[in-house]
Coordinates of all heavy atoms in Angstrom, one line a residue:
G1 N 0.8 -1.2 0.0 CA 0.0 0.0 0.0 C 0.8 1.3 0.0 O 1.9 1.3 0.5
S2 N 0.3 2.3 -0.6 CA 1.1 3.6 -0.7 C 1.4 4.2 0.6 O 2.5 4.8 0.8 CB 0.3 4.6 -1.6 OG -1.0 4.8 -1.0
E3 N 0.5 4.1 1.6 CA 0.7 4.7 2.9 C 1.9 4.0 3.5 O 2.8 4.7 4.1 CB -0.5 4.5 3.8 CG -0.3 5.1 5.2 CD -1.6 5.1 6.0 OE1 -2.7 4.8 5.4 OE2 -1.5 5.3 7.2
R4 N 2.0 2.7 3.4 CA 3.1 1.9 4.0 C 4.4 2.3 3.2 O 5.5 2.5 3.8 CB 2.8 0.5 3.9 CG 3.9 -0.5 4.4 CD 3.4 -1.9 4.4 NE 4.5 -2.8 4.5 CZ 4.4 -4.1 4.1 NH1 3.3 -4.6 3.6 NH2 5.5 -4.9 4.3
L5 N 4.3 2.4 1.9 CA 5.5 2.7 1.1 C 6.1 4.1 1.4 O 7.3 4.3 1.6 CB 5.2 2.7 -0.4 CG 5.2 1.3 -1.1 CD1 4.6 1.4 -2.5 CD2 6.6 0.7 -1.1
F6 N 5.2 5.1 1.5 CA 5.6 6.4 1.8 C 6.1 6.6 3.2 O 6.9 7.5 3.5 CB 4.5 7.4 1.5 CG 4.3 7.7 0.0 CD1 3.0 7.6 -0.5 CD2 5.3 7.9 -0.9 CE1 2.8 7.8 -1.9 CE2 5.1 8.1 -2.2 CZ 3.8 8.0 -2.7
S7 N 5.7 5.7 4.1 CA 6.2 5.8 5.4 C 7.7 5.3 5.5 O 8.4 5.6 6.5 CB 5.3 5.0 6.4 OG 5.5 3.6 6.1
E8 N 8.1 4.6 4.5 CA 9.5 4.0 4.5 C 10.5 5.1 4.1 O 11.7 4.9 4.3 CB 9.6 2.8 3.5 CG 8.7 1.6 3.9 CD 9.3 0.8 5.0 OE1 10.5 1.0 5.3 OE2 8.6 0.0 5.6
V9 N 10.1 6.1 3.4 CA 11.0 7.1 2.9 C 10.3 8.5 2.8 O 9.1 8.6 2.5 CB 11.5 6.7 1.5 CG1 10.4 6.5 0.5 CG2 12.5 7.7 1.0
A10 N 11.0 9.5 3.3 CA 10.4 10.9 3.3 C 10.7 11.6 2.0 O 11.6 12.3 1.8 CB 11.1 11.7 4.4
L11 N 9.7 11.3 1.0 CA 9.8 12.0 -0.2 C 9.2 13.4 -0.1 O 8.4 13.7 0.8 CB 9.0 11.3 -1.3 CG 9.5 9.9 -1.7 CD1 8.5 9.2 -2.6 CD2 10.8 10.1 -2.5
P12 N 9.6 14.3 -1.0 CA 9.1 15.7 -1.0 C 7.6 15.7 -1.1 O 7.0 14.8 -1.8 CB 9.7 16.3 -2.3 CG 11.0 15.6 -2.5 CD 10.7 14.2 -2.1
E13 N 7.0 16.7 -0.4 CA 5.5 16.7 -0.4 C 4.9 16.9 -1.8 O 3.8 16.3 -2.1 CB 5.1 17.9 0.5 CG 3.6 18.1 0.6 CD 2.9 16.9 1.3 OE1 3.6 16.2 2.1 OE2 1.7 16.7 1.1
S14 N 5.6 17.5 -2.7 CA 5.1 17.7 -4.1 C 4.9 16.4 -4.8 O 4.0 16.2 -5.5 CB 6.1 18.6 -4.9 OG 7.4 18.0 -4.9
I15 N 5.8 15.4 -4.5 CA 5.7 14.1 -5.1 C 4.6 13.3 -4.5 O 3.8 12.7 -5.2 CB 7.1 13.3 -5.0 CG1 8.2 14.1 -5.8 CG2 6.9 11.9 -5.4 CD1 9.5 13.4 -5.6
V16 N 4.5 13.4 -3.2 CA 3.4 12.6 -2.5 C 2.1 13.1 -2.9 O 1.2 12.3 -3.3 CB 3.6 12.8 -1.0 CG1 2.4 12.1 -0.3 CG2 4.9 12.2 -0.5
R17 N 1.9 14.4 -3.0 CA 0.6 15.0 -3.4 C 0.3 14.7 -4.9 O -0.8 14.4 -5.3 CB 0.6 16.5 -3.2 CG 0.5 16.9 -1.8 CD 0.2 18.4 -1.6 NE 1.2 19.3 -2.2 CZ 1.0 20.1 -3.3 NH1 -0.2 20.1 -3.9 NH2 2.0 20.8 -3.7
A18 N 1.3 14.7 -5.8 CA 1.1 14.4 -7.2 C 0.6 13.0 -7.3 O -0.3 12.7 -8.1 CB 2.4 14.6 -7.9
V19 N 1.2 12.0 -6.6 CA 0.8 10.6 -6.7 C -0.5 10.4 -6.1 O -1.4 9.6 -6.6 CB 1.9 9.7 -6.1 CG1 1.5 8.3 -6.1 CG2 3.2 9.9 -6.9
A20 N -0.7 11.0 -4.9 CA -1.9 10.7 -4.2 C -3.2 11.3 -4.7 O -4.3 10.7 -4.8 CB -1.7 11.1 -2.7
T21 N -3.0 12.6 -5.1 CA -4.2 13.4 -5.5 C -4.1 14.1 -6.9 O -5.1 14.6 -7.4 CB -4.5 14.5 -4.5 OG1 -3.4 15.4 -4.4 CG2 -4.7 13.8 -3.1
G22 N -2.9 14.0 -7.5 CA -2.8 14.7 -8.8 C -2.6 16.2 -8.6 O -2.8 17.0 -9.6
D23 N -2.4 16.7 -7.4 CA -2.3 18.2 -7.2 C -0.9 18.7 -7.6 O 0.1 18.0 -7.7 CB -2.5 18.5 -5.7 CG -3.9 18.2 -5.2 OD1 -4.8 18.2 -6.1 OD2 -4.2 18.1 -4.0
G24 N -0.9 20.0 -7.8 CA 0.4 20.7 -8.1 C 0.8 20.6 -9.5 O 0.3 19.8 -10.3
P25 N 1.9 21.3 -9.9 CA 2.4 21.2 -11.3 C 2.9 19.8 -11.6 O 2.8 19.3 -12.8 CB 3.6 22.2 -11.3 CG 3.9 22.4 -9.8 CD 2.7 22.2 -9.1
V26 N 3.5 19.1 -10.7 CA 3.9 17.7 -10.9 C 2.7 16.8 -11.2 O 2.7 16.0 -12.1 CB 4.8 17.1 -9.8 CG1 5.2 15.7 -10.1 CG2 6.1 18.0 -9.6
G27 N 1.7 17.0 -10.4 CA 0.4 16.3 -10.5 C -0.2 16.5 -11.9 O -0.8 15.6 -12.5
A28 N -0.1 17.7 -12.4 CA -0.7 18.1 -13.7 C 0.0 17.3 -14.8 O -0.7 16.8 -15.7 CB -0.6 19.6 -13.9
L29 N 1.3 17.2 -14.7 CA 2.1 16.4 -15.7 C 1.7 14.9 -15.6 O 1.6 14.2 -16.6 CB 3.6 16.6 -15.5 CG 4.1 18.0 -15.9 CD1 5.5 18.2 -15.5 CD2 3.9 18.2 -17.4
L30 N 1.5 14.4 -14.4 CA 1.2 13.0 -14.2 C -0.2 12.7 -14.8 O -0.4 11.7 -15.4 CB 1.2 12.6 -12.7 CG 0.8 11.2 -12.3 CD1 1.7 10.2 -13.1 CD2 0.9 11.0 -10.8
T31 N -1.1 13.7 -14.6 CA -2.5 13.5 -15.1 C -2.4 13.5 -16.6 O -3.1 12.7 -17.3 CB -3.4 14.7 -14.7 OG1 -3.5 14.6 -13.2 CG2 -4.8 14.6 -15.3
L32 N -1.6 14.3 -17.2 CA -1.4 14.3 -18.7 C -0.8 13.0 -19.2 O -1.2 12.4 -20.1 CB -0.6 15.5 -19.1 CG -0.2 15.6 -20.6 CD1 -1.5 15.6 -21.5 CD2 0.6 16.8 -20.9
G33 N 0.2 12.5 -18.4 CA 0.9 11.3 -18.8 C -0.1 10.1 -18.8 O -0.1 9.3 -19.7
R34 N -1.0 10.1 -17.8 CA -2.0 9.1 -17.7 C -3.0 9.2 -18.9 O -3.5 8.2 -19.4 CB -2.8 9.1 -16.4 CG -2.0 8.6 -15.2 CD -2.7 8.9 -13.9 NE -2.1 8.2 -12.8 CZ -2.1 8.6 -11.5 NH1 -2.6 9.8 -11.3 NH2 -1.6 7.9 -10.6
A35 N -3.4 10.4 -19.3 CA -4.3 10.6 -20.3 C -3.8 10.1 -21.7 O -4.5 9.7 -22.5 CB -4.6 12.1 -20.5
L36 N -2.5 10.1 -21.8 CA -1.9 9.6 -23.1 C -1.9 8.1 -23.2 O -1.6 7.6 -24.3 CB -0.4 10.1 -23.2 CG -0.1 11.6 -23.2 CD1 1.3 11.9 -23.3 CD2 -0.9 12.3 -24.3
E37 N -2.3 7.4 -22.2 CA -2.4 6.0 -22.2 C -3.8 5.5 -22.6 O -4.1 4.3 -22.5 CB -2.0 5.4 -20.8 CG -0.6 5.8 -20.4 CD -0.4 5.7 -18.9 OE1 -1.2 5.1 -18.2 OE2 0.6 6.3 -18.4
N38 N -4.7 6.4 -23.0 CA -6.0 6.1 -23.4 C -6.3 6.5 -24.8 O -5.8 7.5 -25.3 CB -7.0 6.7 -22.4 CG -6.9 6.3 -21.0 OD1 -7.1 5.1 -20.7 ND2 -6.4 7.1 -20.1
E39 N -7.1 5.7 -25.5 CA -7.3 6.0 -26.9 C -8.1 7.2 -27.3 O -7.8 7.9 -28.3 CB -7.9 4.7 -27.6 CG -7.8 4.8 -29.1 CD -8.3 3.5 -29.8 OE1 -8.5 2.5 -29.0 OE2 -8.5 3.5 -31.0
P40 N -9.1 7.6 -26.6 CA -9.9 8.8 -27.0 C -9.1 10.0 -27.1 O -8.1 10.2 -26.3 CB -11.0 8.9 -25.9 CG -11.1 7.5 -25.3 CD -9.7 7.0 -25.4
P41 N -9.4 10.9 -28.0 CA -8.6 12.2 -28.1 C -8.5 12.9 -26.8 O -9.5 13.0 -26.1 CB -9.3 13.0 -29.2 CG -10.1 11.9 -30.0 CD -10.5 10.9 -29.0
R42 N -7.4 13.5 -26.6 CA -7.2 14.2 -25.3 C -7.7 15.7 -25.5 O -7.9 16.2 -26.6 CB -5.7 14.2 -24.9 CG -4.8 15.0 -25.9 CD -3.4 15.0 -25.4 NE -2.5 15.7 -26.3 CZ -1.6 15.1 -27.1 NH1 -1.6 13.7 -27.0 NH2 -0.9 15.7 -27.9
T43 N -7.8 16.4 -24.4 CA -8.1 17.8 -24.5 C -6.9 18.6 -25.1 O -5.8 18.2 -24.9 CB -8.3 18.4 -23.0 OG1 -9.3 17.6 -22.4 CG2 -8.7 19.8 -23.1
A44 N -7.3 19.5 -26.0 CA -6.2 20.3 -26.7 C -5.2 20.9 -25.8 O -5.6 21.5 -24.7 CB -6.9 21.3 -27.6
E45 N -3.9 20.8 -26.1 CA -2.9 21.4 -25.3 C -2.2 22.5 -26.1 O -2.3 22.5 -27.3 CB -1.8 20.3 -25.0 CG -2.4 19.2 -24.0 CD -2.5 19.7 -22.6 OE1 -1.9 20.7 -22.2 OE2 -3.3 19.0 -21.9

């Protein structure tokens, strides 16, 4: 589980928030990366 994994190492809050909730600029890039893994056309960039 992610809670157990993140308890093993103190990663920056920006990374934890990006993975957990998609928040912040890193989270926005992660959301876009996930969108590219689906066939329907993405929102214009």
Side-chain angles (χ1 to χ4, degrees):
S2 58
E3 183 175 345
R4 181 176 163 199
L5 279 170
F6 286 131
S7 70
E8 299 280 348
V9 57
L11 290 173
E13 182 63 22
S14 60
I15 295 176
V16 175
R17 287 193 298 115
V19 173
T21 64
D23 290 343
V26 177
L29 289 171
L30 178 55
T31 298
L32 176 57
R34 285 174 167 147
L36 299 181
E37 299 158 16
N38 297 293
E39 192 173 350
R42 64 174 179 258
T43 304
E45 295 285 340

